[in-house]
Amino acid sequence: MNAAVSISLPSLGVFFLLLIIPAMLFRYMNLRLNRQLVIAFVRMVLQLSLVAVYLEYIFKLDNMAVNIFWILLMVLVANAAILKQSGLSFRRFFVVTYPCYALLAFCILGSFLIVLDAGTLFSARYLIPLAGMIFGNILRTNVVALDRFYSQVNRRDAEYIAYVSMGATHAEAIKPFLREACKAALGPQIASVSTMGLVALPGMMTGQILGGSSPAVAITYQLMIMVAIFLTSSLSTFLSVVVSSRSAFDGYGRIKKEMFLTKDKS
Amino acid sequence: MHTFELKGLCVRKEAKDILQDINLLVRRGDKILIQGPSGSGKSTLLRAVLGFEKCSQGTVVYDGIRVSSSTIRDFRSQCTYIGQSPLSYEGTVLEYVHLPFGFKVNRGRCPGEEDILAILQKLGFASEILTAEYRSLSGGEQQRVTIAQALLLKRDLYLLDEVTSSLDQANIIRVINLFTGSADRTVIAVSHNHEWRGEGMRVFALQNGHLKEEGERA
């Protein structure tokens, strides 16, 4: 099979001009989204250009220490994004959530040894994209779970108090809220797994096919990554809620208000 | 628990004094009714007793022990709090009644079906109620089942926050009789229902953050 045909920059630029159509539609409908649209696409171009430059460099270097540092950095960015979008204070939760995510990242990457040999897995060309795919895909589930868990504990605090006053330990009292948060986060994920290939062609598989791999090879990689993503999503969802909740309550079982980002009142 | 006391309890929220210098001595078997206008801090007082409201000043003492983060679990294990709205739960009434007995601290104390039925019958239910879906019950029925569940825990101190607000007259009387009928049971009830102002009740009024006793009714 041949590698993907390269796209010339001028033709890519012309392709970008098609974005004028949704921009005009937004303007016609008075959606006030054009500023966000421009910022989002400019950011995406800059970020992906930078990724192209540093991945090129990291792949060439192929040094284990650099790879591990890169993964730790990736986990840090994911952790910050999850906490910020869930309305939790990064400064206060980072100490407990970061070790948990980092440990999970290395365990999951280590589990790839079942299907890939060590030489292949630990080369930057495999390790970095696999880690990126996994941590890029757990953001949503973790944000949904944390957001749901803390909003419910705050809203239904009488229920939490009732459980504690019935004799429940902290872990027992948060269980109904944890169950609900995991259900809300992982239900849609299971639905997307079951429709995979029918509704949308998975990105990794498409990329590999365009890159010259046979569909059979591309599918085995896609199946492997789907298992890894689901494993990471479910474990990180559960762990992030449990671990963060240990810091979110004081010795009396009261939720600490200072652990949450104050919402802009405007 | 033989005595429990609130000493100079103050709660301040959003720059507003909700409770000011609350002093209350409760002996085993006391039945206390706290009344006051909406927003006067009655529910906050019950939550403060259980340690769920941060007190700016004052302490809660039980049997000479000051309630702190290290003793709060022991103190709470002697109390039961019932709020004005019942818990949401999926399962039968029997499973719901068993819920607190699944917690580590209550394991091995699970009541038999006869005891459960006896309490439920005192609250006006027939035996078929045990197999009914808890969610299919009306709000008032769920509240009475929650009260039965709390009574089966056989704790020393009951903190009741408007537990009869969603009940009809006959059931209000049933519930009050259950809580006030036993000499050993210590009860602190917050309620708007005048039926609570019965014999042997110590009635307090909470107004502008201050708690004042109206005098024991004989």
Side-chain angles (χ1 to χ4, degrees):
Chain A
M1 292 250 181
N2 296 324
V5 176
S6 58
I7 299 169
S8 73
L9 286 180
S11 51
L12 184 63
V14 172
F15 195 66
F16 260 75
L17 289 178
L18 292 177
L19 289 172
I20 292 171
I21 300 167
M24 282 166 67
L25 186 71
F26 289 175
R27 199 184 162 146
Y28 171 73
M29 292 180 72
N30 203 13
L31 292 182
R32 295 170 191 268
L33 283 175
N34 278 341
R35 204 178 121 85
Q36 275 167 270
L37 178 83
V38 172
I39 292 173
F41 273 89
V42 168
R43 272 189 67 162
M44 183 189 77
V45 169
L46 288 175
Q47 283 162 200
L48 289 182
S49 308
L50 274 173
V51 168
V53 172
Y54 57 60
L55 278 190
E56 193 90 20
Y57 180 71
I58 283 175
F59 287 175
K60 211 173 277 174
L61 201 65
D62 202 4
N63 177 294
M64 198 56 189
V66 174
N67 292 350
I68 290 174
F69 172 77
W70 189 249
I71 291 169
L72 287 173
L73 193 68
M74 222 182 247
V75 174
L76 178 72
V77 174
N79 189 8
I82 288 168
L83 291 175
K84 192 181 170 201
Q85 285 181 45
S86 315
L88 305 179
S89 159
F90 174 75
R91 199 163 54 84
R92 294 176 195 271
F93 280 106
F94 160 75
V95 191
V96 288
T97 53
Y98 185 67
C100 157
Y101 282 126
L103 188 69
L104 189 63
F106 288 110
C107 288
I108 297 291
L109 288 170
S111 73
F112 280 123
L113 285 172
I114 298 170
V115 281
L116 295 170
D117 65 86
T120 309
L121 175 63
F122 296 129
S123 66
R125 188 167 285 277
Y126 279 78
L127 197 62
I128 304 292
L130 287 177
M133 278 213 72
I134 292 169
F135 275 83
N137 278 287
I138 66 157
L139 295 182
R140 213 190 61 81
T141 51
N142 277 254
V143 169
V144 170
L146 288 168
D147 185 61
R148 178 68 68 97
F149 177 78
Y150 287 107
S151 65
Q152 289 302 308
V153 168
N154 274 315
R155 216 173 52 158
R156 289 157 44 197
D157 67 334
E159 214 167 301
Y160 174 78
I161 292 174
Y163 286 127
V164 172
S165 86
M166 282 180 208
T169 58
H170 171 70
E172 287 170 330
I174 64 162
K175 215 171 173 183
F177 304 100
L178 173 65
R179 203 181 294 139
E180 199 180 313
C182 287
K183 229 174 176 176
L186 298 171
Q189 182 95 349
I190 294 174
S192 85
V193 169
S194 69
T195 56
M196 187 63 65
L198 295 176
V199 180
L201 269 187
M204 187 187 197
M205 194 178 103
T206 312
Q208 272 187 305
I209 292 172
L210 287 177
S213 295
S214 74
V217 171
I219 282 170
T220 52
Y221 270 86
Q222 186 63 45
L223 292 174
M224 178 187 75
I225 203 77
M226 286 311 292
V227 171
I229 288 172
F230 193 76
L231 198 62
T232 320
S233 296
S234 47
L235 293 179
S236 62
T237 296
F238 176 79
L239 284 174
S240 61
V241 175
V242 170
V243 165
S244 69
S245 82
R246 285 177 173 270
S247 311
F249 293 83
D250 66 12
Y252 289 87
R254 296 180 293 229
I255 205 142
K256 296 190 224 165
K257 301 281 178 215
E258 67 273 20
M259 301 300 276
F260 301 89
L261 299 175
T262 42
K263 287 202 175 110
D264 194 359
K265 280 177 186 165
S266 63
Chain B
M1 184 162 45
H2 295 287
T3 59
F4 126 86
E5 193 174 2
L6 307 180
K7 289 182 176 176
L9 214 66
C10 299
V11 173
R12 196 173 161 79
K13 280 201 279 193
E14 289 161 9
K16 198 178 159 202
D17 290 317
I18 309 292
L19 299 175
Q20 297 182 60
D21 195 26
I22 304 287
N23 292 289
L24 178 67
L25 175 66
V26 183
R27 292 189 183 83
R28 189 183 179 88
D30 273 358
K31 311 285 184 278
I32 287 170
L33 172 66
I34 298 172
Q35 296 196 305
S38 295
S40 59
K42 303 185 296 298
S43 297
T44 304
L45 177 59
L46 293 189
R47 291 164 59 102
V49 168
L50 279 168
F52 285 109
E53 287 291 345
K54 213 174 226 171
C55 299
S56 48
Q57 272 180 53
T59 50
V60 179
V61 179
Y62 70 102
D63 290 343
I65 305 165
R66 192 177 151 267
V67 174
S68 65
S69 58
S70 54
T71 57
I72 188 78
R73 227 179 119 59
D74 181 45
F75 171 65
R76 283 181 188 154
S77 72
Q78 303 180 54
C79 314
T80 295
Y81 166 85
I82 312 176
Q84 47 189 315
S85 33
L87 299 183
S88 54
Y89 182 80
E90 278 178 47
T92 65
V93 167
L94 183 62
E95 286 163 349
Y96 177 70
V97 172
H98 278 156
L99 175 71
F101 300 98
F103 299 143
K104 221 181 284 168
V105 73
N106 301 323
R107 270 182 211 151
R109 294 171 51 203
C110 190
E113 217 166 290
E114 278 178 22
D115 292 336
I116 297 173
L117 264 180
I119 288 267
L120 285 170
Q121 277 165 355
K122 281 183 190 167
L123 284 158
F125 288 110
S127 57
E128 292 77 40
I129 192 71
L130 287 179
T131 51
E133 278 298 312
Y134 173 78
R135 283 182 79 166
S136 69
L137 305 182
S138 70
E141 286 172 327
Q142 288 184 350
Q143 183 70 332
R144 279 185 289 146
V145 172
T146 302
I147 290 167
Q149 181 194 54
L151 286 166
L152 287 161
L153 278 168
K154 294 185 177 141
R155 298 280 174 84
D156 294 336
L157 174 63
Y158 287 86
L159 299 159
L160 313 175
D161 189 0
E162 297 284 3
V163 289
T164 48
S165 61
S166 60
L167 305 184
D168 56 38
Q169 180 73 17
N171 282 313
I172 290 174
I173 302 295
R174 276 193 184 115
V175 170
I176 293 172
N177 287 343
L178 266 177
F179 280 111
T180 57
S182 162
D184 279 349
R185 215 167 266 156
T186 313
V187 177
I188 302 181
V190 158
S191 181
H192 280 106
N193 294 120
H194 63 88
E195 291 87 347
W196 281 92
R197 297 173 72 98
E199 235 173 77
M201 221 55 192
R202 286 173 67 192
V203 183
F204 287 78
L206 187 62
Q207 220 159 9
N208 303 322
H210 295 281
L211 189 69
K212 279 185 192 146
E213 185 160 8
E214 282 183 6
E216 198 171 332
R217 293 165 65 93

